[in-house]
Amino acid sequence: MFGFIKEKLNKAYQAVTKKLASLFTSKPIDQAWLEELKVILLAADTGPIITNKIITYLTKQMKAQSLSGQQVHDLLVAYLQSLLPPPGTEQQPIISLIVGINGSGKTTFIGKLAHKYAHDGKKVLVVAGDTFRAAATDQLAAWTTQSGTSIHIGKPNQDPSSVVFEGCAQFAENKFDHLIIDTAGRLQTKTHLMQELAKIKRTIHKRLPEATIHTWLVLDSMLGQNCIAQARQFHETTKLTGLVLTKCDGTGKAGFLLNISHELSLPIVYITFGEQVDALASFDSNRFIEELLKS
Ligand SMILES: Nc1nc2c(ncn2[C@@H]2O[C@H](COP(=O)(O)OP(=O)(O)O)[C@@H](O)[C@H]2O)c(=O)[nH]1
Ligand SMILES: [Mg+2]
């Protein structure tokens, strides 16, 4: 879905994006053209609601004035931009609470993020808040060893909130710049597990009332529209502040992000595109839209 990983995209998706690029040079720009655009957008997983919004908007613009393919393209790009809230500026010190379902890529993302912050000269503490599985802690510890960052580990099966409380204390005492908290994966439909997340968040607020707290939901791009229900539920319980999109090196289509980002007014903060430590990038909306529309 992004240029630098394009070669990994499957043929079907490449066909869709190529079709979209050629659409703007084809003529005439009329009702049949709009229908074709609609089919292509749906195939890019933008979902029916956002797709209809786009088509309604363009229809209105085309009725008001005669437009060239390039003008329609520019209107479409500007409209897509308006659907994506810009990420806020980061103030230090920063706490990032990372949440999401099992296997979405939370721990891997945290490993990369800690590495990035350390590379930027920041002092980083990671908290192993997934106390259910010893393997989860080992996985996180391997990442922090690689990046030379610090990790706080609780006891096996310790209440995650109490591990987070200890991590917050260490963070304050040792004047770290970043605190990144890993959490156990959970399905958004498991109420008690979702309440546990809300408790973790209350714990952070209580221990570090002055700090900026990010709550980022990690979404597996391969899951497409299924991510919308996840985002709604996590947002309801934990008041999310941003989204992280993982596995962009796969064949998932990113159009669904427009739905979530727009409906919940949440910025996409990072994308990941592989298992290597540097397969992480800040989200770039211009590039995202460009890649969504071009081959
Ligand atoms: N291809 C690819 N695999 C990833 C990416 N991020 C995570 N993974 C893999 O996805 C699996 C689950 O990741 P993990 O970080 O353990 O997920 P968690 O359960 O949310 O902590 C692991 O096998 C990761 O190596 C990515 O950006 N691209
Ligand atoms: Mg994990």
Side-chain angles (χ1 to χ4, degrees):
M1 77 194 55
F2 296 89
F4 48 92
I5 48 170
K6 204 173 4 184
E7 63 280 3
K8 294 195 177 171
L9 292 174
N10 67 357
K11 286 203 172 83
Y13 184 61
Q14 284 192 13
V16 165
T17 49
K18 267 203 184 98
K19 226 169 144 188
L20 191 48
S22 66
L23 193 64
F24 293 104
T25 51
S26 71
K27 281 184 183 138
I29 308 272
D30 55 12
Q31 197 55 41
W33 184 94
L34 277 170
E35 282 304 317
E36 207 175 326
L37 174 65
K38 190 172 176 174
V39 170
I40 293 168
L41 287 171
L42 285 170
D45 211 11
T46 50
I49 297 170
I50 292 288
T51 302
N52 284 335
K53 263 178 177 285
I54 294 168
I55 298 297
T56 306
Y57 169 75
L58 288 181
T59 305
K60 219 167 146 186
Q61 296 298 317
M62 284 158 60
K63 271 192 185 139
Q65 56 196 310
S66 136
L67 297 167
S68 67
Q70 184 59 43
Q71 284 169 320
V72 177
H73 171 270
D74 294 348
L75 280 172
L76 175 60
V77 169
Y79 188 71
L80 293 176
Q81 276 285 4
S82 75
L83 296 175
L84 294 165
T89 50
E90 292 205 337
Q91 276 174 7
Q92 319 243 329
I94 299 171
I95 298 172
S96 305
L97 175 65
I98 311 302
V99 302
I101 66 163
N102 248 327
S104 58
K106 294 179 295 301
T107 305
T108 310
F109 164 66
I110 292 168
K112 295 171 190 170
L113 188 65
H115 179 270
K116 178 198 174 300
Y117 287 153
H119 188 261
D120 293 345
K122 304 292 180 197
K123 205 175 155 190
V124 185
L125 176 65
V126 174
V127 174
D130 181 351
T131 56
F132 294 119
R133 296 180 306 124
T137 303
D138 295 346
Q139 185 191 359
L140 195 60
W143 280 108
T144 54
T145 302
Q146 187 183 344
S147 60
T149 50
S150 303
I151 183 166
H152 175 70
I153 299 169
K155 296 178 194 70
N157 295 316
Q158 184 179 341
D159 174 10
S161 290
S162 96
V163 179
V164 168
F165 188 86
E166 293 164 359
C168 288
Q170 246 191 65
F171 173 75
E173 278 156 29
N174 297 307
K175 299 205 167 18
F176 283 94
D177 300 304
H178 287 276
L179 181 69
I180 314 173
I181 302 168
D182 194 12
T183 59
R186 65 203 71 218
L187 273 179
Q188 71 276 10
T189 47
K190 299 268 187 236
T191 315
H192 66 292
L193 291 178
M194 294 304 277
Q195 286 314 315
E196 184 186 82
L197 271 188
K199 186 178 164 193
I200 290 176
K201 201 158 176 184
R202 285 196 300 275
T203 303
I204 306 169
H205 275 296
K206 211 162 144 190
R207 185 63 185 79
L208 300 169
E210 307 291 320
T212 304
I213 304 174
H214 294 310
T215 308
W216 290 340
L217 175 65
V218 176
L219 294 170
D220 178 343
S221 60
M222 302 298 283
L223 297 183
Q225 297 282 334
N226 291 335
C227 291
I228 299 174
Q230 283 175 34
R232 282 189 192 125
Q233 287 286 330
F234 273 94
H235 193 40
E236 204 177 302
T237 323
T238 58
K239 194 84 191 73
L240 299 171
T241 60
L243 305 169
V244 174
L245 188 69
T246 61
K247 311 186 193 180
C248 298
D249 49 322
T251 54
K253 295 156 196 168
F256 71 89
L257 271 179
L258 291 168
N259 293 258
I260 302 179
S261 188
H262 178 61
E263 180 185 317
L264 304 177
S265 231
L266 289 171
I268 302 144
V269 284
Y270 284 105
I271 63 159
T272 79
F273 41 86
E275 294 174 84
Q276 314 76 9
V277 72
D278 57 352
L280 170 78
S282 294
F283 179 74
D284 177 339
S285 63
N286 289 321
R287 193 157 181 190
F288 170 75
I289 290 167
E290 202 178 296
E291 296 299 333
L292 199 72
L293 299 181
K294 282 182 188 161
S295 61

